[in-house]
Amino acid sequence: MYAYDAIDRELVETRVAEFREQVARRVSGELTEEQFRPLRLMNGLYLQLHAYMLRVAVPYGVLSSAQMRKLAHIARRYDRGYGHFTTRQNIQYNWPKLEETPDILAELAEVEMHAIQTSGNCIRNTTADQFAGAAADEVDDPRIWSEIIRQWSTFHPEFSFLPRKFKIAVTGAQKDRAAIKVHDIGIVIVRNDAGELGFQMWAGGGQGRTPMIAKLIRGFVAERDLLSYLEAMLRVYNRHGRRDNKYKARIKILVHELGADEYARQVEAEWARIREGVLSLPQAEIDRIRAAFDEPPFERFEGDSRAFHGKRFEDRGFQRWVRSNVKPHKKPGYAIANISLKPVGGIPGDATADQMDAVADFADRWSFGEVRVAHEQNLVLPHVRQDDLYGLWLALGAVDLDTPNIGLLGDIIACPGLDYCSLANARSIPLSQALSERFGDLDRLHDIGEISLNISGCINACGHHHVGNIGILGVDKKGEEFYQITLGGRADEDAAVGRIVGRAFDAHETVDAVETIVETYVAQRRDGERFIDTLERTGPAPFKEALYGAD
Ligand code: HEM
Ligand code: SF4
């Protein structure tokens, strides 16, 4: 993992000291809430429906076991014993006391973490494939490039007051696990025909009230040009992005209004001016960052473990967990183990302090001390020996972290909704719990197969409802909570925005409606078809008819 150098450390420590002063002035009444607001937001401290909320960045979703233990400690010592992992690989604490937030930030700084740029119109935490450095299908490790972007974007003076917030995601594989096409900038690591490493640059994706899929801006940018090209992309946006209307301020609107070709032309013109300047990445610097992500000392195995396959045969519960939660690793004899934070009837993305501690222990014991946070609000142990999977599974079971539902209907993404969020129209959490219970039968869940179900409590789309195969959006109808269903969204390399099926339902009807959608799929599917395949083949008509009757 990357370790802070003296500059990183000083930046973060200075910020903590500064914030301590600001909080003291707020507590003494010297600052009004209005004056304090921009200061707290610069440190990830939001004011929500019932309390402050602190959002802490997990850079590109990578955590060491020591960092995970610190997150557990903060949950226990300063909050109500749990934390909430979000769709942008951050963690949120819902109940911090204002007076204690400087202490929390000081504790985070001890393990090289902070809440800087987790709010505001700046470049937010860069997210990446949670299987980085482990995935069998990876072209290159996205952590290296995300770290380079982190260093460039942190406290970037020119981009600290953009027209609107700005989110970048990086994937190192053709299979997109980082939802890059619904980000302001999405980066895909590729090789060109000459075999050189570089980047495909996408821009203008986003969710919120105007969901859009990103457009390809340049097919290949060489390694040394990554930052100069990004700088050019941001400059054009900063110059022309709309500051007059908050709802039109994201880069997706600019790219849409100018057209991708014109946006690309302006970026190229800017890039031509700055390409050979200070942002050109020296090879020595790339090598230095790459070295921070050297492989852990893997053991050498010839192929798959026979003992592991034997266990799968013997134990049906283990086999089921392996089928959904274990993914192929680039090294023979190793596997990627996904830890679901979606127990049946649970709150998506929540983990208790004890569970976080347990995951830190498992990481030390079985995964070289490494943990990852997935944008689907789950955790990952990236490097587990196949021979250790059975022991890990038993240990996970003891702390209620063994739910075998990764990628299945119970793996619901949901935002905090009206239980916490001041912008919400409707609750997301109780609905996701009711749906999770309705589909609590694990055999049935596995039979239904791969499907994504995403819920947002309002059109801001923090729960990615636009790109769920089934999307649910909370709407307000004369003061009552209703839910609108969309079908056909996807967040992968073939990203698409779902379409509304028809009139909205109340909470009870929504659970039944999802059941109807699933039954329709099961009746219509052909061999091996996933939900999304069937839907794309049949179109929405059979689903609409099942939901609303023929008209
Ligand atoms: C509870 C406090 C939160 C507030 C006030 C908040 C506010 C917002 C707003 C206003 C937007 C729309 C931005 C736009 O369209 O320009 C947005 C988008 C988004 N938020 Fe949140 N959010 C909150 C929590 C969360 C949580 C918990 C997550 C993750 C589960 C999250 C992830 C996202 C994502 C992925 C988007 C859509 C992508 C985008 O357009 O940037 N947010 N949020
Ligand atoms: S989608 Fe709406 S309700 Fe949900 S967290 Fe975002 S702003 Fe709040």
Side-chain angles (χ1 to χ4, degrees):
M1 278 180 65
Y2 177 80
Y4 275 14
D5 61 16
I7 298 173
D8 295 306
R9 212 166 297 121
E10 199 190 322
L11 280 177
V12 172
E13 282 167 7
T14 309
R15 180 54 89 81
V16 174
E18 192 181 275
F19 190 56
R20 197 179 284 286
E21 293 287 311
Q22 292 162 348
V23 169
R25 281 189 274 148
R26 171 70 192 115
V27 171
S28 73
E30 202 182 317
L31 289 177
T32 63
E33 182 54 36
E34 200 188 336
Q35 290 166 328
F36 180 56
R37 189 172 177 273
L39 306 175
R40 67 171 163 75
L41 286 176
M42 280 189 333
N43 293 285
L45 191 62
Y46 289 72
L47 191 55
Q48 285 301 288
L49 217 44
H50 313 291
Y52 284 105
M53 178 274 278
L54 182 68
R55 181 182 291 162
V56 177
V58 178
Y60 37 93
V62 174
L63 283 173
S64 67
S65 52
Q67 291 173 325
M68 186 60 120
R69 272 192 201 96
K70 183 61 92 178
L71 296 180
H73 165 73
I74 289 169
R76 196 177 283 123
R77 162 87 177 71
Y78 301 99
D79 207 280
R80 295 192 182 171
Y82 67 95
H84 178 74
F85 288 97
T86 80
T87 47
R88 292 211 75 258
Q89 298 177 323
N90 296 318
I91 182 169
Q92 294 186 176
Y93 292 105
N94 286 312
W95 307 100
K97 293 190 194 67
L98 175 61
E99 303 83 314
E100 291 184 342
T101 48
D103 293 337
I104 300 178
L105 295 179
E107 294 226 24
L108 286 168
E110 284 172 17
V111 292
E112 307 187 348
M113 294 184 79
H114 59 69
I116 295 163
Q117 290 182 206
T118 60
S119 172
N121 294 338
C122 52
I123 302 175
R124 304 286 187 90
N125 185 28
T126 294
T127 50
D129 184 349
Q130 65 271 20
F131 298 163
D137 58 352
E138 185 168 277
V139 174
D140 192 33
D141 189 335
R143 289 174 303 172
I144 298 161
W145 306 101
S146 304
E147 175 55 33
I148 288 173
I149 294 170
R150 185 189 73 80
Q151 298 195 9
W152 160 79
S153 62
T154 304
F155 295 131
H156 194 310
E158 193 179 325
F159 304 139
S160 61
F161 183 57
L162 292 163
R164 197 79 177 89
K165 54 169 122 169
F166 206 90
K167 303 177 181 179
I168 302 176
V170 188
T171 171
Q174 281 304 310
K175 175 143 187 57
D176 178 9
R177 287 174 286 259
I180 67 120
K181 289 193 185 165
V182 285
H183 275 79
D184 296 291
I185 290 180
I187 300 175
V188 186
I189 307 175
V190 290
R191 282 195 187 278
N192 65 9
D193 293 342
E196 293 156 344
L197 205 63
F199 313 95
Q200 239 176 37
M201 309 297 281
W202 297 72
Q207 303 193 53
R209 67 185 59 229
T210 337
M212 287 190 190
I213 302 301
K215 313 281 184 312
L216 184 63
I217 303 302
R218 192 171 230 277
F220 190 82
V221 166
E223 286 179 272
R224 68 184 194 93
D225 296 326
L226 176 65
L227 293 186
S228 58
Y229 201 81
L230 277 172
E231 182 106 350
M233 290 174 94
L234 262 299
R235 275 195 181 168
V236 173
Y237 167 58
N238 202 18
R239 200 172 292 152
H240 301 301
R242 295 204 26 198
R243 290 175 187 270
D244 60 321
N245 181 343
K246 171 171 148 181
Y247 300 118
K248 300 202 167 175
R250 298 289 291 262
I251 192 177
K252 62 190 171 190
I253 306 293
L254 179 73
V255 172
H256 180 72
E257 286 182 353
L258 282 180
D261 289 346
E262 174 56 19
Y263 172 73
R265 192 193 63 73
Q266 294 193 22
V267 170
E268 295 283 323
E270 181 63 28
W271 188 42
R273 289 190 334 100
I274 61 173
R275 186 174 179 179
E276 300 306 331
V278 289
L279 285 173
S280 178
L281 273 166
Q283 189 58 44
E285 183 58 9
I286 299 175
D287 293 344
R288 184 180 77 89
I289 303 287
R290 184 176 288 281
F293 298 100
D294 266 355
E295 278 183 0
F298 290 121
E299 284 172 55
R300 240 174 215 289
F301 296 104
E302 288 309 317
D304 277 358
S305 154
R306 287 175 59 183
F308 161 58
H309 285 297
K311 277 283 180 220
R312 292 177 70 166
F313 195 66
E314 276 167 31
D315 191 322
R316 204 165 151 264
F318 178 57
Q319 163 66 354
R320 190 161 53 191
W321 179 77
V322 170
R323 260 181 60 194
S324 52
N325 291 34
V326 173
K327 305 293 171 198
H329 196 280
K330 64 181 182 185
K331 293 284 177 196
Y334 280 85
I336 300 172
N338 289 272
I339 301 174
S340 171
L341 295 182
K342 322 285 175 69
V344 175
I347 298 176
D350 274 12
T352 65
D354 290 348
Q355 287 177 323
M356 290 188 238
D357 273 337
V359 170
D361 291 346
F362 303 157
D364 278 340
R365 184 154 175 210
W366 288 306
S367 184
F368 301 97
E370 283 191 41
V371 186
R372 305 288 170 75
V373 181
H375 86 263
E376 292 91 349
Q377 306 180 281
N378 292 313
L379 300 175
V380 177
L381 295 181
H383 311 297
V384 183
R385 289 189 337 177
Q386 290 178 343
D387 281 342
D388 292 332
L389 284 168
Y390 191 71
L392 168 65
W393 174 67
L394 292 175
L396 287 169
V399 284
D400 200 18
L401 286 174
D402 62 340
T403 317
N405 64 358
I406 296 290
L408 307 179
L409 195 49
D411 188 4
I412 299 170
I413 295 180
C415 77
L418 198 52
D419 289 289
Y420 297 98
C421 177
S422 46
L423 304 177
N425 287 323
R427 284 169 296 171
S428 315
I429 292 172
L431 178 63
S432 74
Q433 289 174 300
L435 282 161
S436 159
E437 302 247 355
R438 175 68 72 90
F439 294 95
D441 181 316
L442 296 171
D443 285 328
R444 183 171 178 223
L445 212 59
H446 276 253
D447 176 62
I448 296 166
E450 200 181 311
I451 185 166
S452 58
L453 172 57
N454 300 354
I455 309 175
S456 305
C458 80
I459 195 62
N460 287 321
C462 305
H464 286 207
H465 70 277
H466 293 300
V467 290
N469 296 167
I470 302 176
I472 299 181
L473 163 66
V475 289
D476 176 278
K477 276 197 182 179
K478 298 190 184 124
E480 285 192 47
E481 294 169 55
F482 272 75
Y483 298 90
Q484 199 167 61
I485 297 184
T486 49
L487 289 180
R490 52 199 291 180
D492 59 5
E493 56 286 0
D494 298 315
V497 173
R499 302 222 167 157
I500 297 171
V501 279
R503 72 167 171 82
F505 300 102
D506 72 21
H508 286 293
E509 291 169 337
T510 304
V511 178
D512 290 335
V514 173
E515 179 91 52
T516 303
I517 292 166
V518 169
E519 278 170 6
T520 308
Y521 153 63
V522 171
Q524 297 271 345
R525 75 176 160 192
R526 293 181 183 158
D527 255 7
E529 263 184 352
R530 299 168 303 172
F531 173 81
I532 192 73
D533 304 325
T534 303
L535 176 68
E536 287 176 1
R537 175 173 56 76
T538 64
F543 296 89
K544 283 187 176 179
E545 192 178 327
L547 284 170
Y548 302 104
D551 50 20

